[in-house]
Amino acid sequence: NTGRLKEAEARVLKAIGLNPKQANSHALLGLILVQQLRTAEASHAFQVALGLDNLCYEALSGLGNLLTLQNKHSDARRLLEGAINLRPEVASNYDQLATGYILSGNFTAARALLQTGLTYDETNNACLAKLMHVYLSLGQRETANQIIEKIERSDGLSPAMFHFLLNCKNFDPTISASELFALHQKYGALVEAPYKNFWPKFARDRDVEKQLRIAYVSGDFRTHVVANFIAPILENHTHAQYKVICYSNLHADDETTGRLKGYADEWHSIVNMLDDEIVNKIRGDEIDILVDLSGHTDGNIL
C-alpha cells in the first residue's frame, strides 16, 4: 500500500518458499506483479493460486480485474462472477464485470449489476459513474443527471467523477457551450487550487532553428479511435525538425501499440507513476510542446 513493491515481492516470495501450497500467497504475488506491470507473470501467479484453490477470492478478483484491463471481457466474466459469489459485498467487482457488458452494448445487464453493487456501497464512485454512462446510453438523461446531483449534494464530485461527467456532457445536446465551459472551469478550480502556489516557471530554449521536442500523452495507444487519428500524425512527423516522445498510460499493449512505438523517437510508460514523478520526468525530458490525447476519457492523467 505504500508503494514498496520490491520489498513486498521479496516477502511474499519468502512466504511461498515456506509454504508453496498457500493459494493466497500466490494471489498476493499476482497483485504485486500487476502493480509493476509484469502482467504475464501476474497472470501466471493468479493461475497457480486458482490451481491450488479454485475458490481463492483474491485470485478470482485479481485475474478478473487484470483481464478487464486487457479488454478480455469474456474471459474475465466467469472469474468476476465467481468473486461476486464469494464476496457479494465488494462493489468494485460489479463495476469491473459491468465494463464488459457496456462495451458489448448490453446496458440492461450492466445496469442490473451496478445497481446491485450500489446496494452494498451506495457511494461507490466507479459504480455510480458507469451507471450514469448506462443511463446516458439508454437515452435516460434525466436519470443520469439525478445521479450527479445526488453525489454533489452528498460528498461533492471527486476529480474522477468530474472526468466522467465532462466526458458525457460533451455528447449532451441539451447543454449550451457556455454551460459546458462553466463546468470545465469548475473542474479546473477543483484540481488546480492546491498546486498553483507551487507551479515553477517553465523556461525552455526559444531558438527557432532548434529541433522541437513534441510529446504526446495518452492512455489509448492501442486499437482504439485515438490511435486512428494520431497514427498518421506520428508517422508523418519530420524527424529532422521534431523529436517525437510518447508517454503511455496504457496497462496492456497490443499490436497497434507496437506499430505506434515505431513512429516515436522515445516511448515511456507512466503507468502507476505518481503525479510528481511524471511532472519531473516531462521537465527532465525538456519537452517543448506537450499534447494531451485523452481529455476526460478513461486513462487520462490531467
Side-chain angles (χ1 to χ4, degrees):
N1 286 339
T2 59
R4 294 154 59 192
L5 298 176
K6 289 297 183 184
E7 290 179 67
E9 182 182 352
R11 298 296 175 90
V12 78
L13 286 172
K14 184 174 181 180
I16 290 171
L18 293 169
N19 184 359
K21 299 296 184 182
Q22 185 67 36
N24 283 347
S25 296
H26 292 278
L28 181 55
L29 176 61
L31 293 172
I32 293 166
L33 293 169
V34 165
Q35 291 189 61
Q36 297 181 69
L37 300 183
R38 294 158 60 187
T39 53
E41 294 172 79
S43 177
H44 176 72
F46 288 134
Q47 288 167 358
V48 170
L50 291 170
L52 293 168
D53 177 6
N54 64 1
L55 295 178
C56 175
Y57 169 79
E58 289 78 7
L60 287 168
S61 177
L63 185 55
N65 288 331
L66 176 60
L67 292 171
T68 300
L69 279 174
Q70 296 173 330
N71 297 311
K72 298 176 181 177
H73 299 289
S74 58
D75 295 331
R77 187 172 299 165
R78 176 183 58 83
L79 297 160
L80 291 169
E81 287 173 347
I84 287 171
N85 286 333
L86 289 171
R87 295 191 189 173
E89 74 281 3
V90 182
S92 60
N93 288 323
Y94 296 93
D95 160 50
Q96 295 291 335
L97 183 55
T99 301
Y101 285 109
I102 289 171
L103 290 174
S104 66
N106 191 342
F107 298 111
T108 303
R111 178 175 57 189
L113 279 167
L114 295 165
Q115 288 172 332
T116 303
L118 289 166
T119 63
Y120 294 103
D121 181 3
E122 63 180 13
T123 62
N124 186 281
N125 267 358
C127 285
L128 285 168
K130 284 209 173 73
L131 187 58
M132 187 175 74
H133 182 182
V134 166
Y135 282 126
L136 286 170
S137 300
L138 294 171
Q140 299 174 22
R141 298 185 180 280
E142 285 192 15
T143 308
N145 286 331
Q146 286 169 6
I147 294 175
I148 289 294
E149 289 166 6
K150 175 184 175 183
I151 298 167
E152 283 190 295
R153 284 195 303 269
S154 55
D155 300 327
L157 290 173
S158 67
M161 197 66 178
F162 232 127
H163 281 310
F164 196 84
L165 171 65
L166 292 173
N167 187 33
C168 291
K169 286 296 182 182
N170 274 309
F171 307 99
D172 185 347
T174 66
I175 191 170
S176 69
S178 59
E179 289 172 324
L180 185 60
F181 183 56
L183 270 178
H184 281 78
Q185 286 181 307
K186 188 175 179 181
Y187 166 78
L190 172 70
V191 298
E192 291 174 3
Y195 301 103
K196 278 192 171 180
N197 291 335
F198 304 100
W199 285 352
K201 298 294 182 185
F202 185 63
R204 291 286 290 123
D205 179 6
R206 295 170 183 264
D207 178 6
V208 296
E209 299 299 327
K210 72 168 189 173
Q211 183 188 45
L212 275 177
R213 296 174 63 82
I214 302 179
Y216 298 91
V217 186
S218 182
D220 296 311
F221 288 127
R222 58 184 173 89
T223 303
H224 186 276
V225 63
V226 168
N228 292 345
F229 70 71
I230 199 60
I233 294 172
L234 295 178
E235 183 179 8
N236 289 289
H237 266 304
T238 305
H239 289 265
Q241 293 176 278
Y242 308 111
K243 186 149 192 174
V244 179
I245 298 100
C246 291
Y247 298 108
S248 174
N249 200 37
L250 178 65
H251 283 267
D253 292 0
D254 64 10
E255 290 183 8
T256 301
T257 313
R259 180 165 58 90
L260 296 176
K261 283 181 178 180
Y263 301 146
D265 296 299
E266 295 180 21
W267 187 280
H268 304 287
S269 173
I270 53 174
V271 174
N272 294 331
M273 286 176 65
L274 299 173
D275 289 348
D276 287 347
E277 292 175 335
I278 298 172
V279 168
N280 291 334
K281 171 68 176 166
I282 292 169
R283 290 189 181 280
D285 289 343
E286 298 185 328
I287 302 304
D288 293 298
I289 300 172
L290 185 68
V291 183
D292 170 68
L293 298 176
S294 293
H296 290 281
T297 61
D298 288 345
N300 78 81
I301 52 162
L302 290 180

PDB file of all heavy atoms in Angstrom, residues 23-35:
ATOM      1  N   ALA A  23      -2.570 -20.810  -1.455  1.00  0.00           N
ATOM      2  CA  ALA A  23      -3.083 -20.103  -2.630  1.00  0.00           C
ATOM      3  C   ALA A  23      -3.051 -18.586  -2.447  1.00  0.00           C
ATOM      4  O   ALA A  23      -2.726 -17.841  -3.381  1.00  0.00           O
ATOM      5  CB  ALA A  23      -4.511 -20.569  -2.937  1.00  0.00           C
ATOM      6  N   ASN A  24      -3.393 -18.104  -1.258  1.00  0.00           N
ATOM      7  CA  ASN A  24      -3.456 -16.660  -1.025  1.00  0.00           C
ATOM      8  C   ASN A  24      -2.106 -15.983  -1.256  1.00  0.00           C
ATOM      9  O   ASN A  24      -2.048 -14.832  -1.689  1.00  0.00           O
ATOM     10  CB  ASN A  24      -3.938 -16.367   0.397  1.00  0.00           C
ATOM     11  CG  ASN A  24      -5.435 -16.563   0.535  1.00  0.00           C
ATOM     12  OD1 ASN A  24      -6.143 -16.673  -0.459  1.00  0.00           O
ATOM     13  ND2 ASN A  24      -5.922 -16.612   1.752  1.00  0.00           N
ATOM     14  N   SER A  25      -1.015 -16.680  -0.976  1.00  0.00           N
ATOM     15  CA  SER A  25       0.318 -16.103  -1.184  1.00  0.00           C
ATOM     16  C   SER A  25       0.583 -15.881  -2.668  1.00  0.00           C
ATOM     17  O   SER A  25       1.120 -14.847  -3.077  1.00  0.00           O
ATOM     18  CB  SER A  25       1.400 -17.003  -0.589  1.00  0.00           C
ATOM     19  OG  SER A  25       1.258 -17.083   0.817  1.00  0.00           O
ATOM     20  N   HIS A  26       0.217 -16.852  -3.490  1.00  0.00           N
ATOM     21  CA  HIS A  26       0.392 -16.712  -4.942  1.00  0.00           C
ATOM     22  C   HIS A  26      -0.501 -15.595  -5.487  1.00  0.00           C
ATOM     23  O   HIS A  26      -0.094 -14.841  -6.375  1.00  0.00           O
ATOM     24  CB  HIS A  26       0.081 -18.034  -5.640  1.00  0.00           C
ATOM     25  CG  HIS A  26       1.079 -19.113  -5.347  1.00  0.00           C
ATOM     26  ND1 HIS A  26       2.278 -19.218  -6.012  1.00  0.00           N
ATOM     27  CD2 HIS A  26       1.053 -20.129  -4.439  1.00  0.00           C
ATOM     28  CE1 HIS A  26       2.955 -20.265  -5.539  1.00  0.00           C
ATOM     29  NE2 HIS A  26       2.225 -20.830  -4.583  1.00  0.00           N
ATOM     30  N   ALA A  27      -1.732 -15.492  -4.942  1.00  0.00           N
ATOM     31  CA  ALA A  27      -2.634 -14.423  -5.370  1.00  0.00           C
ATOM     32  C   ALA A  27      -2.072 -13.056  -5.003  1.00  0.00           C
ATOM     33  O   ALA A  27      -2.142 -12.104  -5.783  1.00  0.00           O
ATOM     34  CB  ALA A  27      -4.011 -14.623  -4.736  1.00  0.00           C
ATOM     35  N   LEU A  28      -1.502 -12.958  -3.798  1.00  0.00           N
ATOM     36  CA  LEU A  28      -0.898 -11.694  -3.368  1.00  0.00           C
ATOM     37  C   LEU A  28       0.285 -11.340  -4.264  1.00  0.00           C
ATOM     38  O   LEU A  28       0.474 -10.178  -4.640  1.00  0.00           O
ATOM     39  CB  LEU A  28      -0.454 -11.796  -1.906  1.00  0.00           C
ATOM     40  CG  LEU A  28       0.180 -10.541  -1.291  1.00  0.00           C
ATOM     41  CD1 LEU A  28      -0.727  -9.338  -1.434  1.00  0.00           C
ATOM     42  CD2 LEU A  28       0.530 -10.783   0.167  1.00  0.00           C
ATOM     43  N   LEU A  29       1.071 -12.339  -4.641  1.00  0.00           N
ATOM     44  CA  LEU A  29       2.175 -12.109  -5.581  1.00  0.00           C
ATOM     45  C   LEU A  29       1.622 -11.548  -6.893  1.00  0.00           C
ATOM     46  O   LEU A  29       2.191 -10.609  -7.467  1.00  0.00           O
ATOM     47  CB  LEU A  29       2.936 -13.412  -5.831  1.00  0.00           C
ATOM     48  CG  LEU A  29       4.064 -13.338  -6.866  1.00  0.00           C
ATOM     49  CD1 LEU A  29       5.149 -12.351  -6.441  1.00  0.00           C
ATOM     50  CD2 LEU A  29       4.676 -14.724  -7.113  1.00  0.00           C
ATOM     51  N   GLY A  30       0.508 -12.119  -7.354  1.00  0.00           N
ATOM     52  CA  GLY A  30      -0.105 -11.622  -8.579  1.00  0.00           C
ATOM     53  C   GLY A  30      -0.493 -10.160  -8.485  1.00  0.00           C
ATOM     54  O   GLY A  30      -0.246  -9.371  -9.400  1.00  0.00           O
ATOM     55  N   LEU A  31      -1.064  -9.764  -7.351  1.00  0.00           N
ATOM     56  CA  LEU A  31      -1.469  -8.362  -7.161  1.00  0.00           C
ATOM     57  C   LEU A  31      -0.260  -7.435  -7.164  1.00  0.00           C
ATOM     58  O   LEU A  31      -0.306  -6.333  -7.717  1.00  0.00           O
ATOM     59  CB  LEU A  31      -2.236  -8.224  -5.836  1.00  0.00           C
ATOM     60  CG  LEU A  31      -3.586  -8.928  -5.774  1.00  0.00           C
ATOM     61  CD1 LEU A  31      -4.151  -8.880  -4.363  1.00  0.00           C
ATOM     62  CD2 LEU A  31      -4.575  -8.327  -6.760  1.00  0.00           C
ATOM     63  N   ILE A  32       0.836  -7.889  -6.565  1.00  0.00           N
ATOM     64  CA  ILE A  32       2.067  -7.089  -6.539  1.00  0.00           C
ATOM     65  C   ILE A  32       2.642  -6.951  -7.946  1.00  0.00           C
ATOM     66  O   ILE A  32       3.085  -5.875  -8.353  1.00  0.00           O
ATOM     67  CB  ILE A  32       3.097  -7.739  -5.591  1.00  0.00           C
ATOM     68  CG1 ILE A  32       2.605  -7.673  -4.147  1.00  0.00           C
ATOM     69  CG2 ILE A  32       4.464  -7.061  -5.711  1.00  0.00           C
ATOM     70  CD1 ILE A  32       3.383  -8.577  -3.189  1.00  0.00           C
ATOM     71  N   LEU A  33       2.620  -8.044  -8.715  1.00  0.00           N
ATOM     72  CA  LEU A  33       3.170  -8.019 -10.074  1.00  0.00           C
ATOM     73  C   LEU A  33       2.329  -7.150 -11.011  1.00  0.00           C
ATOM     74  O   LEU A  33       2.865  -6.476 -11.891  1.00  0.00           O
ATOM     75  CB  LEU A  33       3.261  -9.449 -10.611  1.00  0.00           C
ATOM     76  CG  LEU A  33       4.280 -10.351  -9.898  1.00  0.00           C
ATOM     77  CD1 LEU A  33       4.101 -11.804 -10.329  1.00  0.00           C
ATOM     78  CD2 LEU A  33       5.704  -9.889 -10.180  1.00  0.00           C
ATOM     79  N   VAL A  34       1.010  -7.137 -10.820  1.00  0.00           N
ATOM     80  CA  VAL A  34       0.140  -6.272 -11.629  1.00  0.00           C
ATOM     81  C   VAL A  34       0.558  -4.819 -11.458  1.00  0.00           C
ATOM     82  O   VAL A  34       0.658  -4.053 -12.432  1.00  0.00           O
ATOM     83  CB  VAL A  34      -1.339  -6.448 -11.227  1.00  0.00           C
ATOM     84  CG1 VAL A  34      -2.186  -5.312 -11.788  1.00  0.00           C
ATOM     85  CG2 VAL A  34      -1.877  -7.778 -11.739  1.00  0.00           C
ATOM     86  N   GLN A  35       0.834  -4.423 -10.217  1.00  0.00           N
ATOM     87  CA  GLN A  35       1.211  -3.027  -9.960  1.00  0.00           C
ATOM     88  C   GLN A  35       2.568  -2.678 -10.573  1.00  0.00           C
ATOM     89  O   GLN A  35       2.883  -1.507 -10.774  1.00  0.00           O
ATOM     90  CB  GLN A  35       1.232  -2.755  -8.463  1.00  0.00           C
ATOM     91  CG  GLN A  35      -0.152  -2.788  -7.835  1.00  0.00           C
ATOM     92  CD  GLN A  35      -0.127  -2.311  -6.404  1.00  0.00           C
ATOM     93  OE1 GLN A  35       0.227  -1.179  -6.117  1.00  0.00           O
ATOM     94  NE2 GLN A  35      -0.488  -3.205  -5.492  1.00  0.00           N
TER      95      GLN A  35
END
